Amino acid sequence: MKKILLHSGRVIDPENSIDCVCDVMIQGNQITAVGSLLESHAGPEVELINCTGKLVLPGLIDTHSHIYQYVSGRFGLSADMCGVYSGVTTLVDQGGASCITLPGFRKFIAEPAESRVLSFLSAYLVGGLEGHFYPELYRPACSDVDATVKSALANSDIVKGIKAHAELGGFARWGLDVMAKAAQIGEQTSLPVYIHFGQLWPMPDKPEYQVDPDNIFPQVLELLKPGDVLAHPFSRHPGGFVEQNGEMHPLVGEAIERGLKVDVGYGSHFSYKMAAKVLAAGVVPDTLGSDMHGYNTNVPAPAGTPDEHPDEEHLFTGTSRFSLVSTMVSMMALGLSLEQLVPMVTSNAAKLVGMSGEIGTLGVGREADISVLSDEEGAWLLRDNEGTEVIAHRMLQPIFCLRAGKRFDATSQILPVPCVAYPEGLPA
Ligand SMILES: [Zn+2]
């Protein structure tokens, strides 16, 4: 059986309270030992990989991906491009599949992928099609509570939550009804409901449909249970954590105290200005989530799909190449520590999908899902889609990952190339 010894990296495993320079031994598809192992475990049959100066982390978990490729039109990306070839071993697809289309998701996406693929099942019958163009597909009549509960429970090995939208365009048209159905699905399955906040669909062009964005958050909170997830806290779009007056919504703190979780859901609406505001108010997200999709990454579009996205006015700038790891870099540039970030993409993410201790950990006996990253100090320029620039003083990049013991080098075409902040030397 193949043996690999990851030697002398900084091993961080929040689940087991480990943060030290040591070794990790892999045999076949399992982690068999963690500690100072070189003397006792090296040998001719062991592949020794020098990880000096590198981070050795539990296989990273992206809690917000869009990988129902082809079925969700231009939206869905290749799972392994976002996954193992970007240093990420587990992907949680957010709402691509529905009760109607989950069998296809399992057969054509989850089973063939090298990456581990999980689903937050859409609360809507159509799932995550090119929905931004067709809001009528997402009206309350297009959600079937019983069918969605049945599908989720019958596929509990991959369905780990429910995806819904609390969104300005939808609220203007139909009020709370769709969210109420999503909350029922969450209750009946005991699964977390992941709620997109911030505008997604275009506003209807009718005066009787006006809605106050700041009213959405409190109404939705009433429907949610502990463990449900508030997504996109750093969005530049109205209707989320930050009110129209520029201040954080007063109910955010209360919601977190009640046990609601926060996922960054980075995407293209991420705003450094909003993030700085929300972080300064003391909100530390539980999980990260990249929210990459076919409209915010520069990959060839399938023939005949829309050329642009109504909501992505800055298409192909700023974040058109990114990865879960680059979103970690971005959050560190805003002041979060590596020690705060690692749980967001490992142990906390595992907890969100109900797989604590099973994934997102380097526990002995666990499947060998491991991500190895470079970790450098310097100065790099980052820019969001509003044009705000920040300097990152720490750069992480995926080098390779092991998924169930099998090695994948980080060769994905959407990995960003770091931009040195001061190519001519530090400013005077
Ligand atoms: Zn998304």
Side-chain angles (χ1 to χ4, degrees), residues 2 4 63 69 110 140 184 191 231 235 266 270 274-275 288 325 341 350 369 386 403:
K2 194 174 174 205
I4 299 173
T63 46
Q69 197 177 17
Q184 275 177 39
L191 288 173
S235 171
Y266 194 94
F270 175 89
M274 291 296 187
L288 194 43
V325 173
L341 277 157
D369 287 4
E386 287 179 322
R403 164 73 190 106

Side-chain angles (χ1 to χ4, degrees), residues 121-308:
L121 194 63
S122 177
Y124 311 94
L125 288 169
V126 292
L129 302 181
E130 308 255 21
H132 315 69
F133 291 94
Y134 310 104
E136 287 301 324
L137 294 174
Y138 296 87
R139 65 186 187 273
C142 292
S143 170
D144 183 329
V145 173
D146 293 343
T148 306
V149 169
K150 182 181 177 193
S151 169
L153 294 178
N155 294 278
S156 59
D157 58 332
I158 60 169
V159 175
K160 303 298 182 182
I162 303 299
K163 171 71 182 290
H165 298 93
E167 182 285 334
L168 208 53
F171 255 74
R173 290 174 176 84
W174 314 296
L176 258 185
D177 292 0
V178 180
M179 264 315 301
K181 283 188 156 183
Q184 275 177 39
I185 297 166
E187 291 284 347
Q188 291 180 29
T189 54
S190 300
L191 288 173
V193 182
Y194 185 106
I195 304 108
H196 170 110
F197 283 96
Q199 188 168 1
L200 192 61
W201 297 310
M203 288 298 285
D205 196 14
K206 293 181 183 163
E208 68 270 26
Y209 281 140
Q210 289 317 307
V211 65
D212 176 2
D214 298 341
N215 271 338
I216 293 180
F217 197 73
Q219 290 183 64
V220 173
L221 283 185
E222 304 234 325
L223 294 170
L224 300 181
K225 63 185 187 308
D228 287 347
V229 186
L230 313 171
H232 309 312
F234 307 145
S235 171
R236 63 187 150 82
H237 296 157
F241 277 35
V242 177
E243 290 193 295
Q244 296 298 91
N245 64 13
E247 299 301 316
M248 197 173 77
H249 205 291
L251 290 179
V252 170
E254 212 178 297
I256 292 171
E257 245 164 66
R258 251 184 64 204
L260 292 165
K261 303 295 177 189
V262 178
D263 185 86
V264 172
Y266 194 94
S268 42
H269 38 67
F270 175 89
S271 153
Y272 282 118
K273 285 181 187 154
M274 291 296 187
K277 202 168 277 186
V278 175
L279 290 170
V283 174
V284 177
D286 297 280
T287 50
L288 194 43
S290 66
D291 197 8
M292 293 184 279
H293 52 68
Y295 289 98
N296 63 23
T297 49
N298 199 356
V299 294
T305 53
D307 299 323
E308 54 189 25

